[in-house]
């Protein structure tokens, strides 16, 4: 215990903040470093409904996890650009671990029953997760380029420069294909230099590339590891969507969403989308 306290004094996070020269109350190092006071001040329920605070806190948790995942996807993309598949895979391993945490956060929302949710749903007005610019930035970074979804986000695109940049630039999958082309796999040039703003639909020739790798994993161990991690990222993303759909059906049945869609039917259609499509379709031919 004493050891821990000694270490804590030397730690920039746990140790005490620098002396307060104003004579005001002191904020400890942990609270000051990560601005915990600011963080906690953000969760402000607008009704007396006891579950509203949990709902807001869980929405914050999810946003933070979207961002953590985005940071690692971006890292993986940078490492691929630098031809370091090993470091790209490390970043994708972190991505997947955080995605698993994200999926389990639905458990807490499930503890709010349909009637408890309805006690504060009205206060949401037209607010919906569909307007999450961090979620959309992550989707674009992974390759689901659907510019129409940007219109769902209130405010101008200029408010979110990262979102605009992600729409215009190469996704991680574009960088994977370029990396494979540099490694002399038969990825067509037209795919390496395509209009990145457009939705990538999948290509038979890329399916052939993945088949080559999966038919000889001992010959292409690094590419095979990369493919498995990408598949896991895609799987975890779809897992999140599928669980969200179930949670929504459990709360709302077939009521329309606050964001303007018909609700579960719309989400069901979204559930059909797969990131890195040829990694899924090639399985039929393997
Ligand atoms: C009781 C809980 C929830 C319900 C009933 C619910 C309901 C819905 C519905 C109906 C939609 C479709 C769009 C619309 O018309 O609103 C939607 C979309 C969405 N929700 Fe939720 N939601 C819940 C919790 C959350 C939470 C906590 C988050 C995370 C912050 C979230 C993130 C999203 C996202 C990102 C979309 C857009 C999905 C896409 O574009 O593929 N939802 N939600």
């Amino acid at each position: 215990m004493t050891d821990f306290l000694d270490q804590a004094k030397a730690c920039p996070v746990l140790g005490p903040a620098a002396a307060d020269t104003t004579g005001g109350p002191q904020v400890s190092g942990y609270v000051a470093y990560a601005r915990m006071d600011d963080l906690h001040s953000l969760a402000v329920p607008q009704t007396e409904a006891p579950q509203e605070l949990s709902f807001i806190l869980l929405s914050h948790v999810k946003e933070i996890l979207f961002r953590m995942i985005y940071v690692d996807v971006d890292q993986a993309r940078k490492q691929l650009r630098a031809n370091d598949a090993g470091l790209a895979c490390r970043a994708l391993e972190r991505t997947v671990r955080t995605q698993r945490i994200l999926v389990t956060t639905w458990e807490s929302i499930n503890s709010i029953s349909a009637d408890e949710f309805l006690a504060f749903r009205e206060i949401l007005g037209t607010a919906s997760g569909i307007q999450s610019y961090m979620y959309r930035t992550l989707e674009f970074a992974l390759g689901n380029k659907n510019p129409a979804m940007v219109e769902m986000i209130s405010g101008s695109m200029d408010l979110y420069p990262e979102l605009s940049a992600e729409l215009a630039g190469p996704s991680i999958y574009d960088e994977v294909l370029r990396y494979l082309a540099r490694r002399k796999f038969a990825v067509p040039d037209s795919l390496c230099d395509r209009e990145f703003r457009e939705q990538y639909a999948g290509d038979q020739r890329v399916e052939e590339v993945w088949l080559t790798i999966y038919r000889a994993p001992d010959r292409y161990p690094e590419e095979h590891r990369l493919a498995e991690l990408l598949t896991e990222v895609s799987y975890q993303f779809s897992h999140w969507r599928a669980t969200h759909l179930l949670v929504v059906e459990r709360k709302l049945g077939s009521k329309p969403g606050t964001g303007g869609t018909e609700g579960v039917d719309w989400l069901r259609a979204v559930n059909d989308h797969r990131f890195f499509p040829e990694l899924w379709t090639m399985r039929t031919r393997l």
Side-chain angles (χ1 to χ4, degrees):
M1 187 66 175
T2 324
D3 273 2
F4 172 75
L5 288 177
D6 286 346
Q7 279 166 22
K9 279 181 204 153
C11 168
V13 179
L14 297 172
D20 178 3
T21 50
T22 64
Q26 282 216 358
V27 178
S28 78
Y30 168 77
V31 173
Y33 173 73
R35 300 181 57 176
M36 295 307 178
D37 280 346
D38 289 341
L39 179 68
H40 289 297
S41 73
L42 298 176
V44 185
Q46 294 180 43
T47 69
E48 298 295 314
Q51 281 75 25
E52 192 191 349
L53 178 59
S54 300
F55 180 77
I56 295 173
L57 289 170
L58 277 160
S59 301
H60 288 174
V61 167
K62 282 189 192 295
E63 283 286 331
I64 288 168
L65 292 172
F66 293 158
R67 186 162 169 200
M68 282 179 67
I69 293 165
Y70 172 69
V71 166
D72 282 325
V73 168
D74 188 40
Q75 270 301 315
R77 187 171 44 182
K78 285 189 178 116
Q79 297 301 345
L80 284 169
R81 239 175 249 150
N83 293 318
D84 195 330
L87 281 181
C89 286
R90 285 287 300 133
L92 290 176
E93 278 165 6
R94 290 193 299 274
T95 304
V96 165
R97 281 174 188 256
T98 312
Q99 285 182 290
R100 291 188 187 130
I101 297 170
L102 182 64
V103 170
T104 60
T105 59
W106 286 123
E107 277 305 304
S108 303
I109 289 212
N110 270 332
S111 69
I112 304 174
S113 65
D115 52 298
E116 286 166 341
F117 180 58
L118 287 181
F120 62 88
R121 187 180 187 226
E122 217 172 275
I123 208 78
L124 299 179
T126 56
S128 160
I130 206 169
Q131 295 139 8
S132 167
Y133 66 88
M134 189 46 72
Y135 179 84
R136 209 57 64 196
T137 305
L138 175 60
E139 274 216 317
F140 288 172
L142 287 169
N144 189 15
K145 301 282 183 85
N146 182 354
M149 297 311 297
V150 173
E151 284 154 31
M152 301 285 182
I153 298 169
S154 45
S156 140
M157 189 91 165
D158 300 342
L159 282 177
Y160 308 111
E162 235 166 24
L163 182 64
S164 316
E166 282 302 342
L167 181 60
S171 71
I172 184 161
Y173 198 53
D174 291 315
E175 290 297 355
V176 167
L177 298 185
R178 291 165 141 199
Y179 169 77
L180 291 173
R182 290 195 297 277
R183 304 272 295 169
K184 308 291 177 225
F185 288 93
V187 177
D189 289 349
S190 58
L191 293 183
C192 295
D193 255 327
R194 63 187 200 92
E195 174 49 76
F196 296 119
R197 197 176 282 271
E198 275 167 23
Q199 185 74 284
Y200 178 73
D203 190 290
Q204 183 78 23
R205 292 162 295 181
V206 173
E207 198 177 295
E208 293 295 336
V209 169
W210 291 125
L211 279 169
T212 304
I213 292 166
Y214 272 79
R215 284 177 179 147
D218 294 343
R219 189 166 166 207
Y220 307 113
E222 202 155 62
E223 290 79 4
H224 184 264
R225 182 168 169 235
L226 179 63
E228 278 297 288
L229 279 163
L230 289 168
T231 307
E232 184 64 16
V233 168
S234 178
Y235 173 91
Q236 290 299 333
F237 208 104
S238 290
H239 194 180
W240 185 88
R241 283 178 176 148
T243 317
H244 179 236
L245 171 64
L246 276 172
V247 169
V248 174
E249 193 168 349
R250 186 169 174 171
K251 297 272 182 286
L252 298 181
S254 299
K255 290 191 190 81
T258 44
T261 75
E262 60 271 36
V264 285
D265 283 349
W266 185 83
L267 288 170
R268 213 167 262 130
V270 170
N271 265 253
D272 281 344
H273 173 266
R274 295 282 177 272
F275 288 99
F276 326 137
E278 302 91 343
L279 277 171
W280 292 93
T281 54
M282 65 97 184
R283 270 142 230 277
T284 316
R285 294 174 55 212
L286 191 61

